[in-house]
Amino acid sequence: MPLAGCAGLGLTDGQAPATPAEAAGFEPGSEEEFMLNAGRRIHFAEGSAAISPEAEAILIRQAAWLNIYPHWLAKVQGHADDPGGEAANKRLSEQRAKAVLDKLVALGVDPQRLWFKGYGIERPETDCDPQDCARMSRQVTVNLRNEFDDSAPQFKRFGR
């Protein structure tokens, strides 16, 4: 019998929820569950596209989740706010996004479900202290999609 007042939190029979998303009441396989249980942001060191051990742990969770829910597509979006000009940041953001995509594929995610785009400095974090925002903008965000958008290669948009 569920505990009074706890059913909406995923608490039944005195058991704690298994995951943060379960505690919040999110459905398995939902975008919210992905964000809470797998995480969608991978941060990078300044000027680097190398995947850190912390980032790899997030990517392992993301790959496992994507393999459980194969109906989702994923757009891998690279960002940068590093020293150098706009062109250098664009290249770095693409390198970061490609590194994440390649790691997800290496972890078993079907490459036909993934695409990437580097945004450079186009979409910086802005709701924070300028130093923190620059650090937080050095990231890749994995966003779930139901369909390919215009940034996906044409063969994926029309071949699926």
Side-chain angles (χ1 to χ4, degrees):
M1 174 164 130
L3 296 174
C6 294
L9 296 175
L11 301 173
T12 58
D13 298 329
Q15 303 252 343
T19 66
E22 186 180 306
F26 294 127
E27 291 294 317
S30 67
E31 289 182 76
E32 296 86 0
E33 191 224 5
F34 175 76
M35 288 187 283
L36 282 173
N37 291 347
R40 62 177 228 178
R41 293 188 175 156
I42 296 95
H43 289 92
F44 290 84
E46 183 176 325
S48 176
I51 294 172
S52 68
E54 295 83 10
E56 185 160 358
I58 294 167
L59 290 167
I60 289 168
R61 289 193 310 267
Q62 287 179 350
W65 193 94
L66 288 165
N67 285 326
I68 291 170
Y69 301 105
H71 65 280
W72 284 107
L73 303 173
K75 181 177 182 181
V76 180
Q77 298 176 258
H79 305 278
D81 188 355
D82 296 79
E86 192 171 326
N89 275 286
K90 178 85 167 173
R91 273 191 308 279
L92 181 57
S93 70
E94 289 171 350
Q95 292 167 351
R96 288 172 174 165
K98 180 81 167 77
V100 166
L101 184 143
D102 289 346
K103 186 64 176 178
L104 289 171
V105 170
L107 291 167
V109 179
D110 179 357
Q112 295 303 310
R113 298 171 49 207
L114 307 172
W115 75 104
F116 74 94
K117 179 169 175 130
Y119 287 95
I121 57 175
E122 288 177 38
R123 299 179 176 186
E125 294 286 336
T126 58
D127 194 20
C128 45
D129 173 82
Q131 269 190 314
D132 289 336
C133 284
R135 182 182 47 76
M136 290 171 45
S137 291
R138 297 178 187 123
Q139 68 173 319
V140 167
T141 305
V142 176
N143 286 309
L144 301 179
R145 297 285 190 258
N146 291 312
E147 57 188 36
F148 293 106
D149 67 16
D150 290 343
S151 69
Q154 199 168 27
F155 74 91
K156 287 190 178 187
R157 285 185 270 153
F158 300 111
R160 186 165 165 94

